Amino acid sequence: MKNMTLWAVVIIVVFLGIFFALTSFYIVDQTQQAIVLRFGNIKSIRTEPGIYTKVPFVDNVEKFEKRLMIYDIPVERVITSDRRTILADTYAIWRIEDPQKFIETLRTVEVALTRIDDIVYSHARDVIGNYNFLEVLSTERPAILEEIKKRSSNSLKSFGIEVVEVRLKRTDLPKENTEAVYERMKSERYAMAAQLRAEGEKESQRMKAEADKQASIIVSEAEKEANIIRGTGEASAINIYSEAYSLDTDFYELQKITDIYKDSFKDSILVFPNDSPLLKYFYEVE
């Protein structure tokens, strides 16, 4: 009986020894950082991977993620500077930069996410409110996100949180506004198309008038040149005829009257007085 009691005591002691040995160590891997709390107070902070010791049943170890984390912020309504309501779907990339501040102010990741949600949305609303709808969609988008990240990081720094990035996954219009905006954009496009058509028609008329002007100038110059050539030719012909006719005036007169006979007597009935010069050669014919 005495021996059994002794063995039981030994087993209990060994069991308690193993139990205390197992509960006296904790492991921190490379993705974690740990805070040892004793009666609610911070006793130590471990940010490097390794095996560490603690007081069993007295010390409580809280482990947190050391890597970057993504928080997908719920879609929220934001009003732009031109009074348009948009749905901003954002997310934030963050990490626990100061474990001591984090555990003292927020205690848990769930509480931290709630605070990140509030602060990032608040700054997104304020920053986007300084820009109009088109700027949010295009040119100013990187500057807007950088400003939201900067403000959010400054606000969350006191909680031991660093905001590494803030991104907009998409920016949509509320369903009730989509149709109205679509109609307005359609009207704007129609107006722009009408303006382009009017400018095109104006340019067409200008080019046509310029072409007509150039054609008129070219025709006028051609006619001028043709008249000069025609006049020169006619003058040369008159000189040639004059020189030719001056050689034999009687033959010239005969030729002229003969041409008149051929042109006048063809399919016609003519009445001439007896003393008409045109009948001169008729009387001379024997």
Side-chain angles (χ1 to χ4, degrees):
M1 186 65 182
K2 184 177 180 181
N3 288 335
M4 291 182 60
T5 303
L6 180 60
W7 277 108
V9 171
V10 170
I11 292 173
I12 292 173
V13 170
V14 171
F15 175 78
L16 291 176
I18 294 173
F19 179 77
F20 276 99
L22 292 177
T23 55
S24 298
F25 298 95
Y26 63 97
I27 300 173
V28 179
D29 65 30
Q30 63 272 19
T31 66
Q32 296 176 322
Q33 49 192 343
I35 299 176
V36 180
L37 300 172
R38 181 175 295 174
F39 305 118
N41 297 320
I42 297 175
K43 183 175 180 295
S44 63
I45 298 175
R46 308 295 183 183
T47 58
E48 297 298 326
I51 300 176
Y52 301 96
T53 60
K54 66 182 182 67
V55 177
F57 306 110
V58 177
D59 292 342
N60 181 35
V61 179
E62 295 283 350
K63 296 180 181 178
F64 298 102
E65 183 69 46
K66 192 165 64 175
R67 297 172 294 183
L68 296 177
M69 292 173 279
I70 297 177
Y71 176 54
D72 193 354
I73 300 171
V75 178
E76 299 285 356
R77 288 174 177 262
V78 179
I79 300 175
T80 60
S81 62
D82 51 353
R83 310 305 300 170
R84 293 188 182 182
T85 301
I86 61 174
L87 298 177
D89 190 357
T90 57
Y91 67 90
I93 301 175
W94 66 286
R95 69 184 184 91
I96 300 173
E97 182 184 30
D98 189 333
Q100 181 173 348
K101 288 183 180 178
F102 185 83
I103 197 71
E104 289 176 346
T105 55
L106 300 174
R107 304 297 296 180
T108 66
V109 172
E110 287 73 18
V111 176
L113 293 180
T114 303
R115 187 58 55 92
I116 292 173
D117 190 313
D118 294 339
I119 290 177
V120 173
Y121 168 64
S122 175
H123 291 311
R125 182 189 57 203
D126 294 341
V127 174
I128 292 175
N130 295 327
Y131 295 86
N132 61 43
F133 180 68
L134 294 179
E135 289 173 338
V136 174
L137 294 181
S138 56
T139 58
E140 300 296 336
R141 193 184 185 98
I144 292 172
L145 295 175
E146 180 63 25
E147 182 65 21
I148 296 172
K149 186 202 81 174
K150 184 178 178 181
R151 292 190 185 189
S152 301
S153 187
N154 291 335
S155 299
L156 290 167
K157 193 172 183 178
S158 59
F159 300 103
I161 292 175
E162 178 190 9
V163 177
V164 178
E165 204 72 66
V166 174
R167 291 294 178 189
L168 273 172
K169 289 192 292 185
R170 58 191 175 93
T171 306
D172 294 331
L173 292 169
K175 188 176 180 180
E176 61 272 20
N177 293 348
T178 301
E179 187 173 352
V181 172
Y182 173 74
E183 291 297 329
R184 183 166 60 251
M185 292 178 66
K186 189 168 70 173
S187 300
E188 292 174 352
R189 296 300 183 275
Y190 280 137
M192 186 181 299
Q195 182 180 357
L196 291 175
R197 281 196 294 270
E199 292 176 354
E201 183 66 25
K202 182 180 178 181
E203 183 64 15
S204 172
Q205 292 178 356
R206 188 192 67 76
M207 295 176 67
K208 185 178 180 181
E210 183 67 22
D212 291 343
K213 179 182 177 182
Q214 293 297 327
S216 177
I217 292 173
I218 293 172
V219 170
S220 177
E221 291 178 350
E223 288 179 348
K224 180 181 178 182
E225 186 175 355
N227 290 332
I228 292 173
I229 295 173
R230 188 181 301 108
T232 303
E234 289 179 350
S236 297
I238 291 173
N239 289 334
I240 293 171
Y241 280 128
S242 176
E243 291 176 358
Y245 296 151
S246 63
L247 295 177
D248 190 341
T249 55
D250 293 336
F251 178 74
Y252 172 71
E253 184 179 4
L254 175 62
Q255 185 183 21
K256 293 292 292 182
I257 292 176
T258 303
D259 291 339
I260 293 173
Y261 288 165
K262 287 192 295 184
D263 295 337
S264 301
F265 294 168
K266 185 179 180 181
D267 300 329
S268 299
I269 298 175
L270 303 175
V271 179
F272 296 98
N274 291 333
D275 57 350
S276 172
L278 290 175
L279 301 178
K280 172 184 176 182
Y281 293 102
F282 283 93
Y283 296 135
E284 292 177 355
V285 175
E286 293 182 356

